Amino acid sequence: MTVLHGMHLQNGSDILVLVFQNAAKPLNDAIHGVFLNEINQEQIAEMHERYTWMKFSKRVQTVDYLFIKDHFSSVYGWYFVDHGKMIHEKLNQELTEFIQKHGYKKVIAFGSSKGGTGALLYGLLNPYITDVFSLVPQIYVADFINTLCPKEKSLFFAEDERFENQVNQIFYSPSIYQANLKCNLNFYTGLNDIQFDALVQYRFFLQEQGVKSQLFINRSEERHTRLVNQYTPFIFAVLEDLIKGGRKTYRKNKYSSRN
């Protein structure tokens, strides 16, 4: 069964932006109802049709886009968790086939929150992805789930503690770093994001693996969602720079950059 689903916007380009979706409020609000079987999968599927980051695709129409759905674990699954099973190898294979089929020469993985997690994961896994821009990602996904919805976590882990730990440690799994990583990794977060410390620590781990990355830090008082929603001009500017090949057009302002 195919696991790669979404919307492909074609503008005749050999550059592709993969847009991994964040968890919109309707999906977060639906978790408890799904757990109680009060909300069915048709309703959830309809919610997944509402793609985020469409404004950017209208702003920049010189590249192609693939808006990727994350309809796993009956609600969503960070693009690798589906009812106690890992699905990232299959999704990665289908993503590779998609990129090869369309002959893309440059592929940018982009997303925020769980979408940032997805963008990072597949940037590490897929040799065809050249650049990653990961916004406020969850590095420790199981920890985040235990904060977000501890009573409903069986939707994701199927009451398997071993699997739960595996999910939490996925970015520290040696198998991810066996390949010669050439992907250009870029992160954006804020001092008050829930996993700010986790991301900073993870970058030290990346350095130990010989993987370089750049981190943009927002020094404002904003937290997770507003770090993204209130700073889209900066985010759009960085993404456009990646599309254009690294020419910097953004202004540092409240942001600091760590290499």
Side-chain angles (χ1 to χ4, degrees), residues 24-46:
K25 188 176 185 299
L27 281 167
N28 280 337
D29 292 345
I31 292 174
H32 188 64
V34 170
F35 181 72
L36 296 177
N37 293 316
E38 295 175 350
I39 298 177
N40 63 43
Q41 288 305 291
E42 289 184 1
Q43 292 171 290
I44 295 297
E46 185 176 338

PDB file of all heavy atoms in Angstrom, residues 24-46:
ATOM      1  N   ALA A  24      -2.173  21.176  12.386  1.00  0.00           N
ATOM      2  CA  ALA A  24      -3.114  22.291  12.526  1.00  0.00           C
ATOM      3  C   ALA A  24      -4.022  22.036  13.732  1.00  0.00           C
ATOM      4  O   ALA A  24      -4.223  20.894  14.161  1.00  0.00           O
ATOM      5  CB  ALA A  24      -3.939  22.432  11.257  1.00  0.00           C
ATOM      6  N   LYS A  25      -4.575  23.111  14.272  1.00  0.00           N
ATOM      7  CA  LYS A  25      -5.391  23.024  15.478  1.00  0.00           C
ATOM      8  C   LYS A  25      -6.545  22.014  15.366  1.00  0.00           C
ATOM      9  O   LYS A  25      -6.791  21.252  16.327  1.00  0.00           O
ATOM     10  CB  LYS A  25      -5.933  24.395  15.862  1.00  0.00           C
ATOM     11  CG  LYS A  25      -6.634  24.434  17.216  1.00  0.00           C
ATOM     12  CD  LYS A  25      -7.055  25.845  17.582  1.00  0.00           C
ATOM     13  CE  LYS A  25      -7.636  25.895  18.993  1.00  0.00           C
ATOM     14  NZ  LYS A  25      -8.845  25.052  19.142  1.00  0.00           N
ATOM     15  N   PRO A  26      -7.267  21.946  14.233  1.00  0.00           N
ATOM     16  CA  PRO A  26      -8.349  20.957  14.146  1.00  0.00           C
ATOM     17  C   PRO A  26      -7.882  19.522  14.353  1.00  0.00           C
ATOM     18  O   PRO A  26      -8.586  18.712  14.981  1.00  0.00           O
ATOM     19  CB  PRO A  26      -8.903  21.166  12.736  1.00  0.00           C
ATOM     20  CG  PRO A  26      -8.588  22.583  12.417  1.00  0.00           C
ATOM     21  CD  PRO A  26      -7.251  22.836  13.053  1.00  0.00           C
ATOM     22  N   LEU A  27      -6.690  19.185  13.877  1.00  0.00           N
ATOM     23  CA  LEU A  27      -6.166  17.837  14.069  1.00  0.00           C
ATOM     24  C   LEU A  27      -5.777  17.595  15.523  1.00  0.00           C
ATOM     25  O   LEU A  27      -6.052  16.532  16.088  1.00  0.00           O
ATOM     26  CB  LEU A  27      -4.967  17.597  13.153  1.00  0.00           C
ATOM     27  CG  LEU A  27      -5.300  17.273  11.692  1.00  0.00           C
ATOM     28  CD1 LEU A  27      -4.060  17.381  10.823  1.00  0.00           C
ATOM     29  CD2 LEU A  27      -5.921  15.888  11.577  1.00  0.00           C
ATOM     30  N   ASN A  28      -5.135  18.588  16.134  1.00  0.00           N
ATOM     31  CA  ASN A  28      -4.805  18.445  17.559  1.00  0.00           C
ATOM     32  C   ASN A  28      -6.059  18.271  18.401  1.00  0.00           C
ATOM     33  O   ASN A  28      -6.107  17.441  19.318  1.00  0.00           O
ATOM     34  CB  ASN A  28      -4.017  19.660  18.044  1.00  0.00           C
ATOM     35  CG  ASN A  28      -2.552  19.596  17.664  1.00  0.00           C
ATOM     36  OD1 ASN A  28      -2.004  18.532  17.427  1.00  0.00           O
ATOM     37  ND2 ASN A  28      -1.918  20.745  17.594  1.00  0.00           N
ATOM     38  N   ASP A  29      -7.080  19.061  18.089  1.00  0.00           N
ATOM     39  CA  ASP A  29      -8.334  18.981  18.840  1.00  0.00           C
ATOM     40  C   ASP A  29      -9.049  17.653  18.629  1.00  0.00           C
ATOM     41  O   ASP A  29      -9.866  17.237  19.464  1.00  0.00           O
ATOM     42  CB  ASP A  29      -9.264  20.128  18.429  1.00  0.00           C
ATOM     43  CG  ASP A  29      -8.749  21.488  18.877  1.00  0.00           C
ATOM     44  OD1 ASP A  29      -7.850  21.527  19.739  1.00  0.00           O
ATOM     45  OD2 ASP A  29      -9.241  22.507  18.349  1.00  0.00           O
ATOM     46  N   ALA A  30      -8.745  16.977  17.512  1.00  0.00           N
ATOM     47  CA  ALA A  30      -9.440  15.733  17.179  1.00  0.00           C
ATOM     48  C   ALA A  30      -8.849  14.501  17.853  1.00  0.00           C
ATOM     49  O   ALA A  30      -9.468  13.433  17.840  1.00  0.00           O
ATOM     50  CB  ALA A  30      -9.437  15.531  15.657  1.00  0.00           C
ATOM     51  N   ILE A  31      -7.674  14.612  18.436  1.00  0.00           N
ATOM     52  CA  ILE A  31      -6.983  13.437  18.975  1.00  0.00           C
ATOM     53  C   ILE A  31      -7.851  12.686  19.979  1.00  0.00           C
ATOM     54  O   ILE A  31      -7.995  11.455  19.893  1.00  0.00           O
ATOM     55  CB  ILE A  31      -5.631  13.842  19.607  1.00  0.00           C
ATOM     56  CG1 ILE A  31      -4.659  14.298  18.528  1.00  0.00           C
ATOM     57  CG2 ILE A  31      -5.033  12.665  20.390  1.00  0.00           C
ATOM     58  CD1 ILE A  31      -3.344  14.845  19.068  1.00  0.00           C
ATOM     59  N   HIS A  32      -8.438  13.398  20.928  1.00  0.00           N
ATOM     60  CA  HIS A  32      -9.247  12.729  21.952  1.00  0.00           C
ATOM     61  C   HIS A  32     -10.479  12.074  21.334  1.00  0.00           C
ATOM     62  O   HIS A  32     -10.848  10.950  21.706  1.00  0.00           O
ATOM     63  CB  HIS A  32      -9.669  13.729  23.033  1.00  0.00           C
ATOM     64  CG  HIS A  32     -10.341  13.098  24.212  1.00  0.00           C
ATOM     65  ND1 HIS A  32      -9.702  12.205  25.045  1.00  0.00           N
ATOM     66  CD2 HIS A  32     -11.619  13.206  24.685  1.00  0.00           C
ATOM     67  CE1 HIS A  32     -10.536  11.797  25.984  1.00  0.00           C
ATOM     68  NE2 HIS A  32     -11.714  12.387  25.791  1.00  0.00           N
ATOM     69  N   GLY A  33     -11.109  12.749  20.376  1.00  0.00           N
ATOM     70  CA  GLY A  33     -12.283  12.180  19.719  1.00  0.00           C
ATOM     71  C   GLY A  33     -11.959  10.935  18.921  1.00  0.00           C
ATOM     72  O   GLY A  33     -12.746   9.978  18.889  1.00  0.00           O
ATOM     73  N   VAL A  34     -10.800  10.918  18.277  1.00  0.00           N
ATOM     74  CA  VAL A  34     -10.365   9.719  17.549  1.00  0.00           C
ATOM     75  C   VAL A  34     -10.119   8.577  18.521  1.00  0.00           C
ATOM     76  O   VAL A  34     -10.514   7.432  18.289  1.00  0.00           O
ATOM     77  CB  VAL A  34      -9.089  10.011  16.730  1.00  0.00           C
ATOM     78  CG1 VAL A  34      -8.494   8.722  16.168  1.00  0.00           C
ATOM     79  CG2 VAL A  34      -9.390  10.989  15.600  1.00  0.00           C
ATOM     80  N   PHE A  35      -9.487   8.891  19.636  1.00  0.00           N
ATOM     81  CA  PHE A  35      -9.195   7.889  20.657  1.00  0.00           C
ATOM     82  C   PHE A  35     -10.478   7.239  21.176  1.00  0.00           C
ATOM     83  O   PHE A  35     -10.517   6.032  21.433  1.00  0.00           O
ATOM     84  CB  PHE A  35      -8.427   8.550  21.807  1.00  0.00           C
ATOM     85  CG  PHE A  35      -8.046   7.624  22.914  1.00  0.00           C
ATOM     86  CD1 PHE A  35      -7.053   6.675  22.741  1.00  0.00           C
ATOM     87  CD2 PHE A  35      -8.675   7.703  24.154  1.00  0.00           C
ATOM     88  CE1 PHE A  35      -6.694   5.815  23.774  1.00  0.00           C
ATOM     89  CE2 PHE A  35      -8.328   6.859  25.186  1.00  0.00           C
ATOM     90  CZ  PHE A  35      -7.333   5.903  24.994  1.00  0.00           C
ATOM     91  N   LEU A  36     -11.540   8.030  21.280  1.00  0.00           N
ATOM     92  CA  LEU A  36     -12.827   7.529  21.779  1.00  0.00           C
ATOM     93  C   LEU A  36     -13.735   7.017  20.663  1.00  0.00           C
ATOM     94  O   LEU A  36     -14.893   6.661  20.921  1.00  0.00           O
ATOM     95  CB  LEU A  36     -13.555   8.643  22.540  1.00  0.00           C
ATOM     96  CG  LEU A  36     -12.879   9.166  23.810  1.00  0.00           C
ATOM     97  CD1 LEU A  36     -13.688  10.309  24.404  1.00  0.00           C
ATOM     98  CD2 LEU A  36     -12.689   8.053  24.832  1.00  0.00           C
ATOM     99  N   ASN A  37     -13.196   6.972  19.429  1.00  0.00           N
ATOM    100  CA  ASN A  37     -13.977   6.551  18.256  1.00  0.00           C
ATOM    101  C   ASN A  37     -15.192   7.447  18.005  1.00  0.00           C
ATOM    102  O   ASN A  37     -16.206   7.007  17.465  1.00  0.00           O
ATOM    103  CB  ASN A  37     -14.436   5.089  18.388  1.00  0.00           C
ATOM    104  CG  ASN A  37     -13.272   4.117  18.345  1.00  0.00           C
ATOM    105  OD1 ASN A  37     -12.378   4.261  17.507  1.00  0.00           O
ATOM    106  ND2 ASN A  37     -13.259   3.155  19.242  1.00  0.00           N
ATOM    107  N   GLU A  38     -15.071   8.717  18.383  1.00  0.00           N
ATOM    108  CA  GLU A  38     -16.144   9.677  18.140  1.00  0.00           C
ATOM    109  C   GLU A  38     -15.923  10.459  16.840  1.00  0.00           C
ATOM    110  O   GLU A  38     -16.833  11.108  16.341  1.00  0.00           O
ATOM    111  CB  GLU A  38     -16.239  10.649  19.309  1.00  0.00           C
ATOM    112  CG  GLU A  38     -16.664   9.984  20.618  1.00  0.00           C
ATOM    113  CD  GLU A  38     -16.634  10.927  21.805  1.00  0.00           C
ATOM    114  OE1 GLU A  38     -16.112  12.050  21.651  1.00  0.00           O
ATOM    115  OE2 GLU A  38     -17.114  10.527  22.890  1.00  0.00           O
ATOM    116  N   ILE A  39     -14.704  10.394  16.329  1.00  0.00           N
ATOM    117  CA  ILE A  39     -14.354  11.037  15.059  1.00  0.00           C
ATOM    118  C   ILE A  39     -13.811   9.961  14.139  1.00  0.00           C
ATOM    119  O   ILE A  39     -12.904   9.208  14.513  1.00  0.00           O
ATOM    120  CB  ILE A  39     -13.315  12.151  15.270  1.00  0.00           C
ATOM    121  CG1 ILE A  39     -13.893  13.251  16.162  1.00  0.00           C
ATOM    122  CG2 ILE A  39     -12.859  12.740  13.933  1.00  0.00           C
ATOM    123  CD1 ILE A  39     -12.907  14.360  16.484  1.00  0.00           C
ATOM    124  N   ASN A  40     -14.374   9.854  12.935  1.00  0.00           N
ATOM    125  CA  ASN A  40     -13.962   8.786  12.025  1.00  0.00           C
ATOM    126  C   ASN A  40     -12.847   9.233  11.087  1.00  0.00           C
ATOM    127  O   ASN A  40     -12.491  10.414  11.012  1.00  0.00           O
ATOM    128  CB  ASN A  40     -15.176   8.248  11.244  1.00  0.00           C
ATOM    129  CG  ASN A  40     -15.811   9.317  10.352  1.00  0.00           C
ATOM    130  OD1 ASN A  40     -15.119  10.072   9.675  1.00  0.00           O
ATOM    131  ND2 ASN A  40     -17.145   9.373  10.351  1.00  0.00           N
ATOM    132  N   GLN A  41     -12.308   8.270  10.350  1.00  0.00           N
ATOM    133  CA  GLN A  41     -11.154   8.546   9.494  1.00  0.00           C
ATOM    134  C   GLN A  41     -11.503   9.388   8.265  1.00  0.00           C
ATOM    135  O   GLN A  41     -10.640  10.063   7.704  1.00  0.00           O
ATOM    136  CB  GLN A  41     -10.490   7.239   9.084  1.00  0.00           C
ATOM    137  CG  GLN A  41      -9.747   6.558  10.227  1.00  0.00           C
ATOM    138  CD  GLN A  41      -8.719   7.487  10.862  1.00  0.00           C
ATOM    139  OE1 GLN A  41      -7.712   7.819  10.252  1.00  0.00           O
ATOM    140  NE2 GLN A  41      -8.966   7.927  12.100  1.00  0.00           N
ATOM    141  N   GLU A  42     -12.740   9.362   7.834  1.00  0.00           N
ATOM    142  CA  GLU A  42     -13.147  10.243   6.743  1.00  0.00           C
ATOM    143  C   GLU A  42     -13.056  11.706   7.171  1.00  0.00           C
ATOM    144  O   GLU A  42     -12.636  12.571   6.389  1.00  0.00           O
ATOM    145  CB  GLU A  42     -14.576   9.917   6.296  1.00  0.00           C
ATOM    146  CG  GLU A  42     -14.699   8.595   5.550  1.00  0.00           C
ATOM    147  CD  GLU A  42     -16.119   8.356   5.048  1.00  0.00           C
ATOM    148  OE1 GLU A  42     -16.990   9.226   5.264  1.00  0.00           O
ATOM    149  OE2 GLU A  42     -16.347   7.302   4.422  1.00  0.00           O
ATOM    150  N   GLN A  43     -13.441  11.972   8.403  1.00  0.00           N
ATOM    151  CA  GLN A  43     -13.341  13.335   8.929  1.00  0.00           C
ATOM    152  C   GLN A  43     -11.878  13.764   9.059  1.00  0.00           C
ATOM    153  O   GLN A  43     -11.519  14.903   8.745  1.00  0.00           O
ATOM    154  CB  GLN A  43     -14.046  13.424  10.288  1.00  0.00           C
ATOM    155  CG  GLN A  43     -15.551  13.256  10.224  1.00  0.00           C
ATOM    156  CD  GLN A  43     -16.178  13.136  11.606  1.00  0.00           C
ATOM    157  OE1 GLN A  43     -15.994  12.128  12.293  1.00  0.00           O
ATOM    158  NE2 GLN A  43     -16.897  14.166  12.027  1.00  0.00           N
ATOM    159  N   ILE A  44     -11.037  12.850   9.518  1.00  0.00           N
ATOM    160  CA  ILE A  44      -9.610  13.154   9.638  1.00  0.00           C
ATOM    161  C   ILE A  44      -8.994  13.370   8.261  1.00  0.00           C
ATOM    162  O   ILE A  44      -8.197  14.297   8.056  1.00  0.00           O
ATOM    163  CB  ILE A  44      -8.870  12.029  10.389  1.00  0.00           C
ATOM    164  CG1 ILE A  44      -9.367  11.933  11.838  1.00  0.00           C
ATOM    165  CG2 ILE A  44      -7.359  12.260  10.360  1.00  0.00           C
ATOM    166  CD1 ILE A  44      -9.106  13.176  12.667  1.00  0.00           C
ATOM    167  N   ALA A  45      -9.372  12.549   7.298  1.00  0.00           N
ATOM    168  CA  ALA A  45      -8.847  12.692   5.937  1.00  0.00           C
ATOM    169  C   ALA A  45      -9.185  14.060   5.359  1.00  0.00           C
ATOM    170  O   ALA A  45      -8.373  14.681   4.663  1.00  0.00           O
ATOM    171  CB  ALA A  45      -9.392  11.582   5.053  1.00  0.00           C
ATOM    172  N   GLU A  46     -10.383  14.522   5.653  1.00  0.00           N
ATOM    173  CA  GLU A  46     -10.802  15.839   5.171  1.00  0.00           C
ATOM    174  C   GLU A  46      -9.933  16.939   5.779  1.00  0.00           C
ATOM    175  O   GLU A  46      -9.569  17.908   5.101  1.00  0.00           O
ATOM    176  CB  GLU A  46     -12.268  16.081   5.521  1.00  0.00           C
ATOM    177  CG  GLU A  46     -12.826  17.375   4.959  1.00  0.00           C
ATOM    178  CD  GLU A  46     -14.300  17.549   5.244  1.00  0.00           C
ATOM    179  OE1 GLU A  46     -14.995  16.534   5.489  1.00  0.00           O
ATOM    180  OE2 GLU A  46     -14.763  18.715   5.231  1.00  0.00           O
TER     181      GLU A  46
END
